[in-house]
Amino acid sequence: MNEIEFFFEDYSPVNFFKDTLVNRVKFLINKEIKELGTISVIFCSDKYLLEINKQYLDHHYYTDIITFDYVEENVISGDLFISLDRINENANEYLTTFIRELYRVVFHGVLHLIGYNDKTDKEQEEMTEKENYYLGEVDFRGMEL
């Protein structure tokens, strides 16, 4: 089954313009010459994501996203756990909107599934360029909450 699914764990659902996000993720995957498998995007709180970070990665700090990769060959599949608390805080810190930051983090996770990394300065620069490119392909007018 090829799809993108969205879930809210310990958070009330928020409007994130689902159809637009799905279309933009599909565009990203196609542009990177990959095929969509199944991607689950799980929106949650800092507390929820911190527990996942501790349990699975032995990291004891907050993060905006944790990506679990189930990619097989060119078929992009995985789980993206995203803290809406971090999204909100990052949006304020970087003087952007909540929706734009949410899309950036989703794109970031999908780029990881495609094979991009961000461990080195050069990798971070490439990842940021890709994120900015795909954000530039989204018409955010009328999408502010």
Side-chain angles (χ1 to χ4, degrees):
M1 190 177 331
N2 301 347
E3 64 184 343
I4 303 168
E5 302 173 304
F6 298 94
F7 304 94
F8 288 86
E9 272 308 316
D10 60 343
Y11 227 95
S12 296
V14 298
N15 182 8
F16 56 93
F17 305 92
K18 176 182 171 182
D19 291 342
T20 301
L21 183 55
V22 166
N23 288 336
R24 294 297 84 198
V25 169
K26 287 179 178 179
F27 172 79
L28 184 161
I29 290 169
N30 287 334
K31 188 84 171 170
E32 296 292 328
I33 313 171
K34 303 292 182 184
E35 182 181 328
L36 175 62
T38 300
I39 298 175
S40 295
V41 181
I42 303 97
F43 295 113
C44 58
S45 68
D46 270 349
K47 182 179 175 185
Y48 189 93
L49 196 55
L50 179 60
E51 289 307 311
I52 290 173
N53 213 5
K54 288 177 184 176
Q55 182 178 353
Y56 293 98
L57 302 174
D58 200 28
H59 296 161
H60 297 266
Y61 53 81
Y62 293 117
T63 187
D64 52 4
I65 185 170
I66 295 176
T67 304
F68 291 96
D69 182 334
Y70 311 129
V71 173
E72 294 183 11
E73 297 180 18
N74 279 340
V75 180
I76 304 304
S77 297
D79 292 335
L80 308 178
F81 286 85
I82 297 175
S83 168
L84 292 176
D85 296 328
R86 289 293 101 207
I87 299 293
N88 194 46
E89 192 167 301
N90 289 347
N92 289 330
E93 182 177 336
Y94 298 115
L95 304 175
T96 190
T97 65
F98 176 84
I99 291 296
R100 190 185 242 336
E101 182 63 10
L102 186 146
Y103 278 49
R104 184 191 68 76
V105 172
V106 171
F107 294 164
H108 183 89
V110 173
L111 288 166
H112 273 305
L113 294 176
I114 286 170
Y116 292 97
N117 292 308
D118 56 3
K119 298 290 184 210
T120 68
D121 289 345
K122 185 171 174 53
E123 289 173 340
Q124 286 176 5
E125 186 178 313
E126 183 179 23
M127 180 78 87
T128 300
E129 285 177 16
K130 290 282 186 181
E131 291 168 10
N132 289 339
Y133 171 77
Y134 290 111
L135 283 170
E137 295 294 313
V138 179
D139 182 359
F140 286 101
R141 290 176 298 185
M143 292 176 63
E144 303 314 319
L145 301 176

